[in-house]
Amino acid sequence: MTDSKVFLSIIIAAHNCEKTIDVTFQSLVDALGSALELSEIIIIDDASEDSTAEKIALFSIQYPQVIISRVNYQNVGKVRQHGISLSSGKYITMLDSDDILKADSLLPIVNFLCDVQPDMFLTKLHEIRDVSRIDHQWSGLNPEKISQDTAITRFLIHKDLQAHLIGQFIKRDIYLNNKIPPMTCYEDFYIFPRMLTSADNIYFQFDSHYYYIKRKDSLSTTLDQDKIKNLLLCTVKMEIDLPQKFRPLILCHWLDIYLKYYDLLTDNEHQRLVKEHVMMSHSLGFFINRHVRLSYKRKALSTLWKN
């Protein structure tokens, strides 16, 4: 396949995924259908110690669209950025090595991208914990054009959008202007807000093509000091990257950090930073903002006597 034929680059970060990669890869092939001819599948094996390398080597024999790179980063941010450096498609999407795509879902998406040429085509991931419930039911493509402000607002209130690069279709040019940092977690959160501000022509699909399989060792259940530090870093950067008018919604994120993780903070500066932002929520502007949910206004009230 020549670079000129590649329209969609699919990047898979693989690390010790021998138990899941076969099913994930087959779901990708089944989702692509004839769009496989317009795609490249970039699989980065990051220091795997199981049979992952052997399995993806077989994929490359079966499918000339598969590009394999072996690295020893042990860092998902570095892996994904490396994948971008190898890509040549007009659009990039990412697939985790233990997730699943719905059958026959990518061909209509690729056709839509070819016809409309949006800056971003964003989807609500279908979160699932029990893989036995996967049925590949999909209502089909029904894209909704949304403004940049709407996309940012939905992201900030976690309505339909979260800071995931998996399952999203974003122009490669936007990735080239927003380098993924070498972080072991939250690398997508670090760049996603600024990417939203780089896009004007945005479409959203509610019924996702993507099964995001939540596992027991996910970030939300295994936070440690390094992950909390990255979370703070990303939240500060989000505050810098997004326009001032979104400040009340960003304060909701600071309230969550305070209520969920403050007792785990060991650095005095981090404690000061979080408390400072909680205090900012004690303002009229926060309480009258129509986008701030009532639950967060109650959270802000609950912190009044604590600070």
Side-chain angles (χ1 to χ4, degrees):
M1 174 179 290
T2 63
D3 287 353
S4 61
K5 285 186 62 178
V6 176
F7 182 76
L8 177 65
S9 298
I10 302 150
I11 298 174
I12 303 175
H15 173 71
N16 290 344
C17 55
E18 64 179 7
K19 294 180 180 179
T20 60
I21 190 64
D22 286 326
V23 173
T24 295
F25 185 82
Q26 188 59 52
S27 79
L28 171 59
V29 173
D30 293 343
L32 281 167
S34 60
L36 179 64
E37 297 303 316
L38 298 174
S39 307
E40 62 183 0
I41 303 169
I42 302 170
I43 309 177
I44 300 102
D45 177 12
D46 185 18
S48 292
E49 297 175 336
D50 58 5
S51 63
T52 295
E54 290 81 1
K55 287 178 177 289
I56 61 178
L58 290 176
F59 300 157
S60 68
I61 293 173
Q62 293 175 282
Y63 298 95
Q65 295 84 4
V66 174
I67 299 168
I68 297 174
S69 179
R70 294 185 176 87
V71 297
N72 189 26
Y73 296 149
Q74 300 182 57
N75 182 295
V76 67
K78 287 184 178 181
V79 169
R80 286 181 167 174
Q81 185 59 37
H82 177 59
I84 291 166
S85 72
L86 298 176
S87 69
S88 57
K90 183 166 187 176
Y91 288 90
I92 292 175
T93 190
M94 299 201 182
L95 170 63
D96 276 351
S97 61
D98 57 355
D99 288 337
I100 294 175
L101 302 182
K102 295 179 181 180
D104 303 315
S105 60
L106 286 184
L107 177 57
I109 291 175
V110 169
N111 288 337
F112 173 79
L113 295 175
C114 287
D115 292 341
V116 179
Q117 305 278 318
D119 296 325
M120 289 181 165
F121 177 66
L122 304 175
T123 67
K124 180 178 181 178
L125 301 183
H126 187 157
E127 293 189 6
I128 193 166
R129 296 180 185 276
D130 182 1
V131 294
S132 67
R133 297 179 60 188
I134 291 176
D135 57 13
H136 289 276
Q137 291 295 317
W138 193 50
S139 62
L141 192 66
N142 187 27
E144 168 197 8
K145 185 173 176 58
I146 60 175
S147 68
Q148 183 185 95
D149 279 3
T150 297
I152 293 172
T153 299
R154 289 185 183 184
F155 158 66
L156 287 173
I157 64 176
H158 280 188
K159 179 179 173 58
D160 306 333
L161 290 175
Q162 297 183 32
H164 293 300
L165 299 177
I166 53 173
Q168 315 306 329
F169 300 82
I170 300 172
K171 279 187 173 178
R172 182 170 178 268
D173 288 345
I174 293 178
Y175 270 107
L176 295 179
N177 290 323
N178 294 275
K179 185 176 180 180
I180 299 176
M183 297 168 66
T184 56
C185 64
Y186 293 119
E187 77 291 340
D188 38 10
F189 182 16
Y190 188 87
I191 66 166
F192 193 68
R194 188 168 183 270
M195 294 177 89
L196 288 174
T197 67
S198 303
D200 294 313
N201 189 15
I202 304 173
Y203 282 80
F204 173 75
Q205 167 83 13
F206 182 81
D207 186 7
S208 180
H209 67 295
Y210 194 110
Y211 284 112
Y212 174 40
I213 302 173
K214 298 283 283 185
R215 302 182 188 275
K216 293 179 180 179
D217 58 349
S218 66
L219 284 177
S220 59
T221 56
T222 58
L223 282 179
D224 56 26
Q225 288 296 316
D226 286 340
K227 292 174 183 176
I228 293 174
K229 187 183 301 183
N230 282 348
L231 177 59
L232 293 176
L233 176 64
C234 292
T235 308
V236 169
K237 186 169 187 297
M238 175 170 65
E239 202 166 49
I240 295 169
D241 289 341
L242 295 181
Q244 178 70 23
K245 62 185 175 182
F246 295 106
R247 179 60 61 86
L249 289 176
I250 296 172
L251 290 176
C252 295
H253 289 250
W254 286 107
L255 280 167
D256 277 338
I257 292 171
Y258 176 77
L259 294 170
K260 293 178 181 179
Y261 310 123
Y262 185 81
D263 290 343
L264 300 177
L265 298 178
T266 57
D267 186 289
N268 290 336
E269 178 58 24
H270 291 163
Q271 292 174 347
R272 183 204 61 77
L273 178 68
V274 173
K275 278 193 172 184
E276 178 181 279
H277 282 87
V278 169
M279 293 292 290
M280 292 178 190
S281 71
H282 302 160
S283 65
L284 180 62
F286 181 83
F287 286 102
I288 66 173
N289 187 285
R290 66 185 181 90
H291 293 298
V292 175
R293 294 175 180 173
L294 180 59
S295 60
Y296 279 102
K297 293 173 184 178
R298 288 172 176 164
K299 288 177 182 179
L301 286 172
S302 75
T303 63
L304 278 172
W305 64 85
K306 295 180 181 179
N307 296 282

